[in-house]
Amino acid sequence: MVGKVFFSVSMSLDGFIAPESPEELMGQQWMELQQWVFPQRFFRENLKLGEGGEEGRDNDIVRETFERTGASVMGKRMFDAGEQAWPEDPPFHTPVFVVTHEKRDPWVRQGETTFYFVNDGIESALDQAREAADDRDVRIAGGGATIMEYVNAGLIDEFTIALSPVLFGSGIRLFEGVDASRVALDLVRAEPSPRTTHLSYTVHPR
């Protein structure tokens, strides 16, 4: 069985998933966007932040997203920000394929996370991620431009958005540059929680 290709992001009510400035990618605004995930027990355990934490549907979704992911793909902008912020044991615990023009040897980290740098485009990165993921799914981790490249290429099967109760006003829009004439969505599920609303969609050609 071939796994699915998906993305899962937190988004502000006005449609942004990250601040505009790379220097602010892990800053206060981004922390507010992600505030629903930090108290979750599985998230805390995965990042070795200590025992305890909340359990419930939010926690289940964090765990399910992690467990279904056999490999991840990300763009260079997201990697550059994360390289400075991720701990020695990054939160992926799978191979991660970075779409970039930079030629670089694989970067081996703790917890079975290895970053591979792919110089020949998004389809090559996805092919390598599919092979590494085996029968599990491939997550397109971000950022927004990389996600849209995969959406516009017809390579995304489904996605989830955690709609956070915050406003950005400016930043990186999730669907900036989407080819809406080619992309159709079906709503699969909407799950409100005290901290966010989880929206799940399947993607198919229009």
Side-chain angles (χ1 to χ4, degrees):
M1 294 288 292
V2 176
K4 294 179 179 180
V5 181
F6 78 103
F7 66 87
S8 179
V9 297
S10 297
M11 186 176 77
S12 69
L13 283 174
D14 51 347
F16 298 97
I17 61 170
E20 183 70 43
S21 170
E23 290 75 24
E24 298 175 358
L25 276 179
M26 303 295 177
Q28 181 62 36
Q29 197 173 36
W30 184 87
M31 296 287 284
E32 292 176 359
L33 180 69
Q34 303 290 349
Q35 63 184 346
W36 71 272
V37 75
F38 294 124
Q40 305 310 317
R41 184 184 187 93
F42 184 85
F43 179 85
R44 292 180 56 80
E45 290 175 349
N46 191 31
L47 266 71
K48 298 180 172 59
L49 299 177
E51 297 181 356
E54 296 180 4
E55 297 188 24
R57 187 60 186 138
D58 285 343
N59 187 63
D60 291 344
I61 288 173
V62 175
R63 186 185 67 253
E64 290 164 5
T65 301
F66 176 85
E67 290 177 348
R68 70 181 289 193
T69 302
S72 295
V73 176
M74 69 178 59
K76 184 63 161 52
R77 185 176 188 268
M78 180 176 179
F79 173 79
D80 285 345
E83 185 177 17
Q84 306 302 318
W86 291 318
E88 290 291 318
D89 184 354
F92 302 99
H93 302 176
T94 68
V96 179
F97 297 86
V98 181
V99 181
T100 178
H101 296 296
E102 178 187 9
K103 296 186 183 299
R104 178 171 168 178
D105 291 334
W107 188 37
V108 180
R109 308 300 283 162
Q110 296 178 11
E112 301 182 19
T113 299
T114 298
F115 294 90
Y116 298 92
F117 300 89
V118 181
N119 306 131
D120 52 350
I122 64 170
E123 293 193 16
S124 176
L126 180 56
D127 287 343
Q128 293 178 57
R130 283 189 189 276
E131 184 174 356
D134 197 14
D135 60 349
R136 295 165 72 193
D137 297 335
V138 173
R139 179 180 184 180
I140 309 303
T146 300
I147 289 172
M148 282 306 100
E149 284 191 79
Y150 280 97
V151 170
N152 288 335
L155 297 172
I156 297 292
D157 298 309
E158 59 191 44
F159 65 89
T160 61
I161 292 172
L163 195 60
S164 294
V166 296
L167 299 171
F168 267 35
S170 64
I172 303 298
R173 286 191 182 275
L174 174 57
F175 292 108
E176 187 73 35
V178 67
D179 186 351
S181 67
R182 298 180 57 191
V183 179
L185 308 176
D186 289 324
L187 177 65
V188 175
R189 188 168 55 251
E191 297 182 83
S193 80
R195 296 184 180 274
T196 188
T197 300
H198 301 280
L199 303 173
S200 301
Y201 299 87
T202 55
V203 185
H204 55 89
R206 182 181 291 278

